[in-house]
Amino acid sequence: MFQIAVYGKGGIGKSTISANLSYALAEKGKRVLHIGCDPKHDSTRLLLGGANQTTVLDYMKEVPSPERNLEDLVLDGSMGVKCVEAGGPEPGIGCAGRGIISTFNTLENLGIDRYQFDIKLYDVLGDVVCGGFAIPLRKEYADAVYLVTSGEFMSIYAANNILKGMRNFDSVSPRVAGLIFNSRGRDEEEWMIESFARAVGLPIIVRMPRSDLFAKAERNIQTVVEIFPNSEPTRVIKSLADHVLLISEGSLSLKSPHPLSDEQLNDLAAGRALISTHPGSYRMTKNADQRNRPYVNRRPIHTCATNGAYLCTSQIKNSASIIHGPRSCAHILATYADRYALRSWKRRGRGRIEPVSSKIYCTEMDERASIFGGIDVLEKLVIEKIDEGHKIIFIITTCVSGIIGDDVESLVERIEASYPEVIVKIVESDGNITGEWDQGYLDAVKEIVELIDPEILPDKNYVNIVGELEFIIQNNDKNFTEIQSMLDRLGVNINCRFLYECDIDSVIDFKRGSLNLLAKDDLLTHSIKNILEKDVSAIFFDLPLPMGFQETEKWIRELAEHIEKVDAGRALTEELRIEYNKGIADVKPWMKDRKIIIMDRFSYNIGWLLDLLQDLGSNIIKVGIGPRRFYELQSDDDAIASFHNEKISFQYDYTMEDLKRDVALTKPDLILTDHRIPLIDDVRHDIIHRPSIGIRGSIDLAKRWANIIRLPLKEGWKLEVNK
């Protein structure tokens, strides 16, 4: 079987020529399959005498997969030509290019190849060569490509784009048959097409004459070759059919694609002489050249923006967060969240293990939705959630819904007009296209901030906690319990946890909190802070929630001064000091003078750790800080050292090789790292987990390290084996 693809600008006469060519080839005794790949689905019209043909995409839309039959899609046309139409979605909805891909997959799955064809012809729209419409350009679908063009600039431009598409697929593979010149009778048209043909090194195979016979044949809904067999147009079309057969037999050679640059096309349009691009002088554009350059110092994307957006909006109680995308997106999101919840439970023995998947609503976009659009399914799901009593609904887009251009905004306008008591917010977080987790989270924050009532007056007895991101991931309530206890002792109430398990009323009344407390001092939390400062003039406390005694003491003292509760702050600090000293007293003998190496690659905020080890009397012989590309807020390399004992040695861009060298030189008692490392013989090792807020997490860690020191370096059974 020999496969050809006929491309050309819309309205250039490509479908008329293709239908006549298929008839002429069949007349020469060839078994022909004619596939129309244009959403207008009119390519087979002349071959079928105007009979209505079900398109593949309409068939996919209406008929379930198990009930589909190939015979419903393949009709017999004039001269026995087998006819298929791909079709397309409604204009402005879905993705017609994706429809072409689905058409080919469906035909293959239904067994189109069981027919014995000599020639398979694809009639393809050439105005926009997206991935779907470019499918017939690929080697497995087209052995030869014909370009229908006139001498008009836009027609030549479309033909040149086809050549670019072929070059992108397989570089210089010779698969271009040549040009079919369908004249419009314009001045200088001959010069334009001949100049283009010379410049790209392609032959003009035939020149279709301008003739009223085409219009007469159209009115009779037949091909010219059939109704006017002795006419000049028929002679030219049969000549084209002969060319196809000679190429299929290998008697004529095909050409490699050598498209013009944009500058050369402009010269052609201006009537200036062109320098041939054939052979091999095609100039890559700057963008194409840069496409192959590797990214430098780019962190990997851990999860996509859709994931971040959902884990933000889903924290608002009684709201519904709808993922507008494939089921797999929701599955990956649920797996990500549940994995961290389970890890927190295994590590700490606490936390809620309620599966996130039970709270995810998803439109489950499939092949049909990616072609025809998914707005109808989304609307049905939104109304379903409204009927269940949800007054706040977040629609979170994904890569698929974004790429096909689903008009979610118009849907939201219709929903809010029909349900004025309901608020629907769109978070356009199209997966990895938008960015990674952080970007999706921030996009959701921006939408939620719009719900805050700016007219609410602040109350000095209330504060907000902002950015409890780590609480979400680790599913850990102990931090909140600790901070709530300290605030209660200071006579302060928590107004809103923005955004962690809060209700919509606390979000709307966010301004009631006179002061905002950052949960963590990292880049993402500061980005949330910037949004709140800019959009609702939120006032923030300078220090993040503290870890360890020194940080906690400073945090309580400065907060007490800020809210004018100095005496309460002093009393609380003294109580915590007594508890802290008592908590570490039993472990000090085990940790005193122990040599410690710290390797911190990712967190960088380790002041609490250095404070704790110094309080225990340990000897910190080296602090290795990881690659600079992982740093976030920190810009001064000496910032950590400036707050701690000058005897501590700091090294930046610290690697495993550096660690192995230091272990050999110093023989430490314990290595503390914030990530897993290969085991090093004869050295104890522990992974540093960010402790709970306040002092109790530090006390627990100190006890853990003392237990590690107490244990033998090698278990007894290992010693027996070594003997």
Side-chain angles (χ1 to χ4, degrees), residues 50 112 125 183 208 229 231 252 263 293 323 339 348 381 408-409 439 461 463 489 500 546 552 572 576 619 639 644 700:
I112 189 68
L125 177 67
S183 174
M208 300 300 301
S231 65
L252 292 176
E263 293 85 355
R293 296 180 183 177
I323 306 297
R339 176 167 59 90
R348 297 178 172 85
L381 185 55
V408 181
E409 290 186 2
Q439 186 59 55
N461 294 314
V463 297
R489 299 286 295 280
Y500 182 65
T552 302
L572 175 58
L576 292 177
N619 179 15
H644 295 88
D700 291 342

Side-chain angles (χ1 to χ4, degrees), residues 238-250:
K238 288 184 175 181
S239 173
L240 177 60
D242 289 336
H243 188 274
V244 171
L245 295 178
L246 288 171
I247 285 182
S248 68
E249 296 164 359

Side-chain angles (χ1 to χ4, degrees), residues 439-453:
Q439 186 59 55
Y441 192 95
L442 290 175
D443 289 342
V445 167
K446 291 174 184 176
E447 295 298 325
I448 295 171
V449 166
E450 293 181 359
L451 301 173
I452 296 175
D453 185 350

Side-chain angles (χ1 to χ4, degrees), residues 152-193:
E152 296 172 305
F153 177 75
M154 289 309 297
S155 180
I156 291 175
Y157 181 86
N160 195 64
N161 268 353
I162 301 300
L163 295 177
K164 287 183 177 180
M166 295 187 69
R167 188 181 183 92
N168 288 336
F169 277 127
D170 53 11
S171 185
V172 293
S173 174
R175 289 195 298 120
V176 188
L179 304 177
I180 299 172
F181 179 22
N182 194 22
S183 174
R184 295 301 182 90
R186 303 285 180 86
D187 293 341
E188 298 185 348
E189 197 174 11
E190 292 275 348
W191 178 88
M192 287 278 286
I193 191 66

Side-chain angles (χ1 to χ4, degrees), residues 69-294:
N69 294 300
L70 183 63
E71 289 70 23
D72 296 333
L73 300 173
V74 182
L75 298 186
D76 290 328
S78 301
M79 198 55 65
V81 175
K82 299 290 185 181
C83 300
V84 173
E85 287 284 0
E90 291 294 321
I93 299 175
C95 178
R98 176 65 203 181
I100 300 301
I101 299 173
S102 299
T103 292
F104 286 8
N105 290 338
T106 299
L107 292 174
E108 290 174 4
N109 292 336
L110 293 178
I112 189 68
D113 291 333
R114 73 170 181 258
Y115 287 98
Q116 298 298 314
F117 296 114
D118 300 307
I119 302 290
K120 188 183 289 186
L121 183 148
Y122 302 98
D123 172 18
V124 194
L125 177 67
D127 292 88
V128 182
V129 190
C130 71
F133 288 111
I135 284 290
L137 293 179
R138 299 179 182 177
K139 290 180 180 179
E140 65 267 31
Y141 290 112
D143 301 302
V145 176
Y146 288 83
L147 305 177
V148 181
T149 180
S150 68
E152 296 172 305
F153 177 75
M154 289 309 297
S155 180
I156 291 175
Y157 181 86
N160 195 64
N161 268 353
I162 301 300
L163 295 177
K164 287 183 177 180
M166 295 187 69
R167 188 181 183 92
N168 288 336
F169 277 127
D170 53 11
S171 185
V172 293
S173 174
R175 289 195 298 120
V176 188
L179 304 177
I180 299 172
F181 179 22
N182 194 22
S183 174
R184 295 301 182 90
R186 303 285 180 86
D187 293 341
E188 298 185 348
E189 197 174 11
E190 292 275 348
W191 178 88
M192 287 278 286
I193 191 66
E194 289 174 358
S195 296
F196 176 70
R198 283 194 301 272
V200 296
L202 295 178
I204 300 175
I205 299 167
V206 294
R207 299 169 187 256
M208 300 300 301
R210 293 190 60 78
S211 172
D212 292 339
L213 296 181
F214 286 105
K216 292 179 180 179
E218 285 277 354
R219 286 194 291 271
N220 283 278
I221 320 179
Q222 292 176 285
T223 61
V224 169
V225 179
E226 180 179 7
I227 196 172
F228 301 112
N230 299 316
S231 65
E232 177 63 14
T234 296
R235 183 193 66 78
V236 174
I237 290 167
K238 288 184 175 181
S239 173
L240 177 60
D242 289 336
H243 188 274
V244 171
L245 295 178
L246 288 171
I247 285 182
S248 68
E249 296 164 359
S251 301
L252 292 176
S253 61
L254 295 166
K255 307 296 181 182
S256 298
H258 296 288
L260 302 181
S261 66
D262 291 342
E263 293 85 355
Q264 289 171 312
L265 280 174
N266 289 333
D267 288 341
L268 180 62
R272 293 188 286 267
L274 293 178
I275 300 175
S276 174
T277 64
H278 176 73
S281 61
Y282 175 76
R283 293 176 292 170
M284 294 284 285
T285 64
K286 181 178 180 182
N287 287 338
D289 182 59
Q290 290 176 339
R291 190 169 53 211
N292 295 321
R293 296 180 183 177

Side-chain angles (χ1 to χ4, degrees), residues 562-579:
H562 188 92
I563 61 176
E564 300 179 349
K565 305 246 178 134
V566 176
D567 291 340
R570 190 179 296 117
L572 175 58
T573 299
E574 188 56 34
E575 288 182 19
L576 292 177
R577 182 191 302 278
I578 294 171
E579 182 180 352

Side-chain angles (χ1 to χ4, degrees), residues 292-307:
N292 295 321
R293 296 180 183 177
Y295 289 117
V296 179
N297 289 337
R298 285 285 307 272
R299 291 188 304 164
I301 291 181
H302 300 292
T303 63
C304 72
T306 300
N307 198 329

